[in-house]
């Protein structure tokens, strides 16, 4: 049985990012996978779950996990506008992740009272999210946009911003990102491969989640 930290109320972006080294970026095609997948991740010590709005069943999956897996903290990813943020929070999402940023998405997160990891890839986008009051962001797409070297460079002018890089991260390069002081966690789809989900191999997903606990450098 995994012991989790007590979370602050209200939930903060910082708490979302520091709960575990990896936030799984999840694409669910089949509603029947939602609950066993969430249970498998939780059993491996991973409870912050980013369910992406990339499939028709995503909102229903959020509702089911919220109802049936109380240890999980359901978040929503691929939020591209305010209406999607509202629908996801109504379906149980406790945090939002967006692949890019608009002030509309920022305002929706504030109105809804949930933490947002706004997507940024350039200095101008960083300045915009900071101007709108955010202290944490998703760096996306992390590897194509400049990788760990880019985040190292961001730490100079934007020392107060904490990052969750995602996009192209796996066990091979996660440690390079997690070693940076401005990186609080990474995101990635490798904890929930579609092949394992289709095969119903939940034990393998628990194992991937458990392995990811060791990625943060000492
Ligand atoms: C995301 O939306 O954050 C990325 O698609 C995840 O990228 P990955 O599949 O390369 O981990």
């Amino acid at each position: 049985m995994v012991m989790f930290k007590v979370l602050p109320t209200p939930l903060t972006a910082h708490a979302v990012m520091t709960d575990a080294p990896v936030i799984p970026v999840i694409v669910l095609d089949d509603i029947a996978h939602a609950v066993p997948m969430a249970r498998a991740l939780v059993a491996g010590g991973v409870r912050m779950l980013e369910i992406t709005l990339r499939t028709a069943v995503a909102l229903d999956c959020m509702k089911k996990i919220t109802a049936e897996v109380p240890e999980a903290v359901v978040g929503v990813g691929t939020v591209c506008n305010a209406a999607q943020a509202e629908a996801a929070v109504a379906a149980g999402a406790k945090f939002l992740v967006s692949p890019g940023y608009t002030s509309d998405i920022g305002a929706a997160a504030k109105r809804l009272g949930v933490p947002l990891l706004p997507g940024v890839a350039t200095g101008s986008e960083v300045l915009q999210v900071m101007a709108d009051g955010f202290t944490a962001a998703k760096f996306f797409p992390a590897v194509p946009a400049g990788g760990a070297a880019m985040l190292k460079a961001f730490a100079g002018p934007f020392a107060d911003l904490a990052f969750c890089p995602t996009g192209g991260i796996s066990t091979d390069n996660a440690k390079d990102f997690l070693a940076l002081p401005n990186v609080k966690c990474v995101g990635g789809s490798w904890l929930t491969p579609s092949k394992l989900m289709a095969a119903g191999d939940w034990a393998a997903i628990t194992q991937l989640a458990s392995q990811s606990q060791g990625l943060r450098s000492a």
Side-chain angles (χ1 to χ4, degrees), residues 20-97:
V22 183
I23 296 178
V25 177
I26 300 163
V27 179
L28 281 159
D29 293 307
D30 184 343
I31 192 161
H33 294 163
V35 166
M37 179 221 61
R39 288 198 178 122
L41 289 169
V42 166
V46 174
R47 66 172 162 177
M48 295 290 166
L49 313 184
E50 180 188 331
I51 314 282
T52 59
L53 289 176
R54 295 179 200 174
T55 62
V57 295
L59 290 174
D60 285 335
C61 289
M62 287 175 216
K63 284 185 199 156
K64 242 179 131 48
I65 296 169
T66 301
E68 296 181 38
V69 192
E71 307 87 352
V73 181
V74 172
V76 57
T78 324
V79 173
C80 294
N81 56 52
Q84 289 180 331
E86 277 155 24
V89 170
K94 303 289 187 297
F95 66 93
L96 314 175
V97 185

Side-chain angles (χ1 to χ4, degrees), residues 86-187:
E86 277 155 24
V89 170
K94 303 289 187 297
F95 66 93
L96 314 175
V97 185
S98 59
Y101 185 68
T102 65
S103 292
D104 261 7
I105 295 176
K110 285 181 193 162
R111 197 167 59 241
L112 293 161
V114 290
L116 165 70
L117 296 178
V120 298
T122 67
S124 298
E125 290 158 4
V126 167
L127 290 178
Q128 186 63 57
V129 301
M130 288 173 76
D132 287 355
F134 293 94
T135 55
K138 157 171 164 139
F139 176 51
F140 176 79
V143 170
M150 181 85 159
L151 286 172
K152 211 168 176 182
F154 275 175
F158 314 124
D160 294 338
L161 200 66
F163 290 95
C164 168
T166 83
I169 300 182
S170 67
T171 45
D172 295 338
N173 58 0
K175 280 189 176 174
D176 300 342
F177 287 93
L178 289 163
L180 300 173
N182 57 347
V183 170
K184 303 300 168 199
C185 66
V186 300

